[in-house]
């Protein structure tokens, strides 16, 4: 051994390696811009209808082909939607680009019935059945 420490090139490589190890985990899974939880109350053609509480209840449309990492979507499930934060202002509103949908489990019967009642009075007659205009 000569007693010499690492040269400047070796130190630079060491610093770059440490920086790469610190930065790589951050490049993995990106965080969604927004998250919304609710109950799937209805499926019509290629859309699901998501009921969310708050502001008197709101219904959003989700595409049936949205990415679901674990299982398949079904009416009556509680779900968490990870999306880009945008909402298309159509009736009913549609969530923007969906990153993934996590299935949280089945909604309690009372919860599901309350969500379905809201959907059936506020959305379905005017938007799906085409039975006339909303009063």
């Amino acid at each position: 051994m000569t007693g010499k420490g690492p040269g400047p090139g070796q130190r630079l490589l060491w610093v770059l390696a440490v920086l790469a190890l610190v930065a790589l985990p951050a490049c993995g899974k990106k965080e969604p811009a927004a998250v919304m939880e609710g109950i799937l109350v209805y499926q019509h053609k290629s859309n699901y209808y998501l009921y969310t509480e708050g502001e008197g209840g709101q219904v959003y449309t989700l595409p049936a082909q949205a990415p679901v990492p674990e299982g398949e979507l079904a009416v009556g499930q509680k779900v968490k939607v990870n999306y880009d934060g945008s909402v298309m202002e159509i009736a009913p509103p549609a969530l923007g680009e969906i990153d993934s949908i996590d299935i949280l489990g089945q909604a309690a019967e009372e919860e599901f019935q309350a969500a379905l009642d809201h959907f059936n009075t506020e959305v379905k007659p005017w938007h799906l059945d085409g039975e006339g205009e909303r009063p």
Side-chain angles (χ1 to χ4, degrees):
M1 296 215 126
T2 63
K4 287 176 53 179
Q10 289 175 324
R11 277 191 230 125
L12 178 61
L13 285 175
W14 187 84
V15 169
L16 290 175
V18 169
L19 288 175
L21 288 174
V22 170
L24 281 178
C27 296
K29 186 176 180 182
K30 72 174 188 174
E31 291 295 315
V35 174
M36 183 178 294
E37 289 187 18
I39 299 171
L40 298 175
V41 292
Y42 195 76
Q43 181 182 12
H44 181 70
K45 298 183 182 179
S46 63
N47 288 320
Y48 278 96
Y49 293 83
L50 176 74
Y51 171 80
T52 61
E53 292 183 341
E55 297 182 30
Q58 180 67 38
V59 175
Y60 297 91
T61 58
L62 305 173
Q65 69 274 10
V68 183
E70 306 144 3
E72 292 185 28
L73 296 180
V75 170
Q77 291 174 331
K78 290 180 93 168
V79 297
K80 179 173 77 172
V81 182
N82 305 295
Y83 69 109
D84 67 357
S86 65
V87 176
M88 291 179 261
E89 296 190 25
I90 57 175
L95 297 182
E97 185 178 328
I98 296 174
D99 297 324
S100 66
I101 299 176
D102 300 320
I103 300 170
L104 303 176
Q106 285 297 118
E109 184 60 36
E110 307 82 41
E111 269 185 312
F112 175 70
Q113 194 58 53
L116 185 60
D117 289 346
H118 176 86
F119 174 77
N120 283 331
T121 57
E122 297 295 322
V123 177
K124 186 179 179 188
W126 297 279
H127 298 291
L128 299 179
D129 295 338
E131 295 179 0
E133 292 188 22
R134 188 175 184 165

